[in-house]
Amino acid sequence: MSHLKPGLALAALLALAACQSKPAVPPPAAALGPVAAAPAGALPAGTGCGPAIARTQSIVDSDVATGNLNAPVGKRFSADLANASAACAAGREGEALHLLAAAKARFGYP
């Protein structure tokens, strides 16, 4: 049975070496560069459908500008927001807010 001990010792040594060959700290993720967000002061203030739609449009514009949303998707989102804005301008606030909520849900915005 003594002839198995060197084999076990070698296996244990290889297992230990394998564990220690991994870096202790994972390599840093590739830098994506700074992502600028729309400044909080730049968002339209107020209540009602008009400012809510304008705030969402500002966020969409910012996301397209920073590359967080691709331009074709941004155009479709903006078209949906234009429909909501038209309903708001016509005095149909309930419909406008419904269209806004539907557009935000469609494109994954809270």
Side-chain angles (χ1 to χ4, degrees):
M1 200 145 179
S2 64
H3 68 289
L4 291 179
K5 287 184 182 180
L8 288 175
L10 180 60
L13 184 60
L14 289 175
L16 181 61
C19 290
Q20 292 180 355
S21 66
K22 295 179 184 175
V25 178
L32 298 176
V35 176
L43 294 177
T47 59
C49 57
I53 295 166
R55 278 191 296 275
T56 303
Q57 185 63 62
S58 293
I59 292 167
V60 170
D61 292 343
S62 174
D63 285 353
V64 169
T66 60
N68 291 327
L69 184 66
N70 68 38
V73 174
K75 283 184 180 186
R76 290 194 308 267
F77 199 161
S78 292
D80 287 352
L81 293 176
N83 291 335
S85 185
C88 183
R92 300 186 313 266
E93 184 163 345
E95 179 185 349
L97 292 174
H98 174 75
L99 291 170
L100 173 62
K104 289 169 73 171
R106 183 176 306 112
F107 294 100
Y109 280 65

